[in-house]
Amino acid sequence: MNIPTNLKYTKDHEWVSLDGEIATVGITDFAQKELGDIVYVEVETLDQSLEKDEVFGTVEAVKTVSDLFLPVSGEIIEFNEDLESNPESVNTDPYGKGWMVKVKVSNVDDFNDLLDSQAYKELIGA
């Protein structure tokens, strides 16, 4: 299972990278395997400011739909539009082409409070 050490993680299986005040968010390798074949990613919160842990979208797999929870407070400034035609990128490259949104972070402490790779490994039993 791929759990990059340079990212932070949530208990809800989202990952986050931070570049200055811009966070990139997606779901983990563990999450995409649990969901199965992803057929649709919906984000209707573009250009909205949300608080940490609020739902920013949904991911639909063949057998289920799951909410996506924002790991950091801020404004959703970009949606990965490639997922509209290639949602399977979340399955094949969850930490690269399968990223979901970019967020202008309003509270960097949110990022610092997230799980590191070791804590996430322990959470999922990897």
Side-chain angles (χ1 to χ4, degrees):
M1 181 147 334
N2 186 10
I3 304 172
T5 57
N6 63 320
L7 302 174
K8 294 280 197 156
Y9 301 88
T10 72
K11 292 179 174 136
D12 295 311
H13 311 291
E14 284 89 14
W15 62 263
V16 186
S17 67
L18 188 63
D19 183 9
E21 62 180 16
I22 305 301
T24 303
V25 178
I27 64 170
T28 65
D29 191 30
F30 174 83
Q32 69 81 17
K33 285 179 179 168
E34 291 289 305
L35 288 167
D37 292 337
I38 292 170
V39 295
Y40 190 67
V41 177
E42 181 176 51
V43 173
E44 293 184 348
T45 52
L46 190 61
D47 300 323
Q48 294 181 26
S49 292
L50 301 174
E51 294 299 314
K52 177 181 176 177
D53 298 327
E54 281 194 84
V55 173
F56 72 86
T58 57
V59 61
E60 183 177 337
V62 173
K63 296 181 181 176
T64 188
V65 176
S66 291
D67 286 336
L68 298 166
F69 299 95
L70 197 62
V72 292
S73 298
E75 180 184 355
I76 310 283
I77 58 170
E78 187 176 345
F79 168 62
N80 182 356
E81 293 181 4
D82 289 343
L83 297 181
E84 290 178 351
S85 57
N86 297 303
E88 65 276 3
S89 295
V90 176
N91 292 116
T92 58
D93 191 10
Y95 303 113
K97 292 180 182 176
W99 68 272
M100 295 181 174
V101 294
K102 294 192 186 246
V103 181
K104 184 174 181 184
V105 178
S106 60
N107 183 357
V108 176
D109 287 338
D110 288 348
F111 181 79
N112 297 329
D113 292 341
L114 296 170
L115 303 172
D116 63 16
S117 61
Q118 188 58 42
Y120 185 69
K121 283 180 187 177
E122 290 171 15
L123 175 75
I124 62 172

